[in-house]
Amino acid sequence: MPPFQNTLSSFWKAISIATRLVGNDMVNDAKENFIKQGFDGIPWKEVQRRIAGTKAYKYPKRKGTNRRTRAILIGAGSGRLKKSIRVTQITNTEVAIGSDVPYAEVHNEGKKAGRGAGFMMPQRKYMGLTKTLDAQIEKRINQAMDDVFNA
């Protein structure tokens, strides 16, 4: 194989590997935001069940202190939203992550929810690009290019 085709083949192989790694980085970053209970260093809005004086605090649906200590969007439930985050589309030039859970967009974007969409859910963003993630993606791509052109 001519040297140019060899380099071109190595280039596309490196890009393919880099996009998969970038996808994994994006998924891991989104899942980490659940642990941090915030996005890009900004904490999520507090839930009503923890704010004294609110109806949810005064008249809880469940008894016990767990309702005041459990994590936002994770809680004592199944963790379905966090577990559902995955790479949804990947090409040599694009990587997209998402969730198939119906309420994922409502929490990430802050939209109307509930029966008849009568409640405005506060935005608790967990997916999206941040400066840190952007720098990590750039580092992955630069490393892939260095592997190809410095080999």
Side-chain angles (χ1 to χ4, degrees), residues 1-106:
M1 197 181 306
F4 175 74
Q5 281 191 335
N6 209 7
T7 303
L8 191 60
S9 176
S10 296
F11 171 80
W12 286 114
K13 184 177 179 183
I15 288 293
S16 177
I17 292 168
T19 52
R20 279 188 259 127
L21 292 173
V22 165
N24 289 339
D25 290 343
M26 292 170 69
V27 168
N28 291 337
D29 185 66
K31 289 183 177 185
E32 195 173 293
N33 289 330
F34 281 86
I35 296 165
K36 294 177 185 175
Q37 296 190 48
F39 179 78
D40 202 16
I42 301 167
W44 291 333
K45 184 177 178 189
E46 191 59 79
V47 290
Q48 296 290 308
R49 69 179 180 265
R50 290 190 202 153
I51 302 172
T54 62
K55 187 178 175 183
Y57 184 91
K58 192 172 180 181
Y59 304 107
K61 291 180 182 178
R62 296 184 183 127
K63 302 291 181 193
T65 57
N66 182 36
R67 67 187 169 86
R68 292 194 189 125
T69 58
R70 64 187 173 97
I72 302 171
L73 296 186
I74 298 174
S78 66
R80 181 176 172 207
L81 180 57
K82 180 182 173 185
K83 291 176 188 173
S84 72
I85 300 168
R86 60 184 45 88
V87 174
T88 56
Q89 180 182 355
I90 189 163
T91 66
N92 283 338
T93 57
E94 289 182 11
V95 178
I97 65 169
S99 169
D100 59 351
V101 174
Y103 50 86
E105 185 178 9
V106 171

